[in-house]
Amino acid sequence: EIVLTQSPGTLSLSPGERATLSCRASQSLSSNYLAWYQQKPGQAPRLLIYGASSRATGIPDRFSGSGSGTDFTLTISRLEPEDFAVYYCQQYGSSLRTFGQGTKVEIK
Amino acid sequence: EVQLVQSGAEVKKPGESLKISCKGSGYSFSRYWIVWVRQMPGKGLEWMGIIYPGDSDARYSPSFQGHVTISAGTSTSTAYLQWNSLQASDTAMYYCARTLSTWDHDAFEIWGQGTMVTVSS
């Protein structure tokens, strides 16, 4: 099983600031099969990034993904009020897909 | 519009059986993989398994193998998640989602609204 470890657990920032979220895999991900999702309270997750760096349809360009191998990053360039949520990374290259434990981005 | 619509919330007793559903529309249901994801109260996301509706090829996470059954019907464009004997620890929100492409190793693009299952005596 590929374990994904996200850090930090909670990120306290103000609107307009830059957010940098990390996701580390226990082994190298084939073809960068890494996705990021946003989940707000009471809502289903929403796909933000796939293939480590490709934005999903309709996702604003303030969201960007980077990384390869075992280290991946989700960056939100300037936080908007609607961006405060929980973010999960997920790998889909192995037969057992796994999620990270999540990073909560909260208003400081 | 491409969407997945899940069945409503359920309240069951331990030992009871349950089948929840996920109906797809706006796309060719048989050609895209459907996954099920569990989210226990206040916790993160867990991948349960995946099915290809076209031929009902289903694969499970070892954590859920033998405890749930994933199935699908192409005539109704509906996927199902079934338990034969519920436990209190099955209390959770269950989401279905569709893969981004017709390949199984892909991200989950379209999500259902979730079905809350509560198991309590």
Side-chain angles (χ1 to χ4, degrees), chain B residues 82-94:
Chain B
Q82 181 177 1
W83 295 260
N84 288 333
S85 181
L86 286 160
Q87 304 167 1
S89 57
D90 293 318
T91 294
M93 181 71 81
Y94 293 87

Side-chain angles (χ1 to χ4, degrees), chain A residues 33 37 39 43-44 92-93 97, chain B residues 39 95 103-105 108 112:
Chain A
Y33 288 149
Y37 300 86
Q39 188 178 33
Q43 296 185 18
Y92 49 92
R97 283 67 155 172
Chain B
Q39 187 167 40
Y95 293 102
W103 195 40
D104 59 335
H105 287 278
F108 311 148

Side-chain angles (χ1 to χ4, degrees), chain A residues 71-92:
Chain A
D71 290 297
F72 299 87
T73 300
L74 174 69
T75 301
I76 311 171
S77 58
R78 286 177 56 85
L79 282 163
E80 297 288 340
E82 62 267 28
D83 299 337
F84 292 92
V86 179
Y87 293 83
Y88 295 94
C89 60
Q90 180 238 338
Q91 65 80 19
Y92 49 92

Side-chain angles (χ1 to χ4, degrees), chain B residues 10-62:
Chain B
E10 301 275 1
V11 179
K12 292 290 189 178
K13 290 181 166 49
E16 292 187 330
S17 62
L18 176 64
K19 192 174 189 177
I20 62 174
S21 66
C22 167
K23 185 174 177 62
S25 62
Y27 73 98
S28 179
F29 182 78
S30 64
R31 296 183 61 231
Y32 288 78
W33 294 77
I34 295 286
V35 304
W36 286 95
V37 174
R38 182 175 79 173
Q39 187 167 40
M40 300 177 78
K43 302 299 184 182
L45 305 171
E46 301 173 86
W47 182 81
M48 301 177 69
I50 191 169
I51 189 166
Y52 185 70
D55 61 6
S56 293
D57 178 13
R59 302 146 192 199
Y60 296 86
S61 163

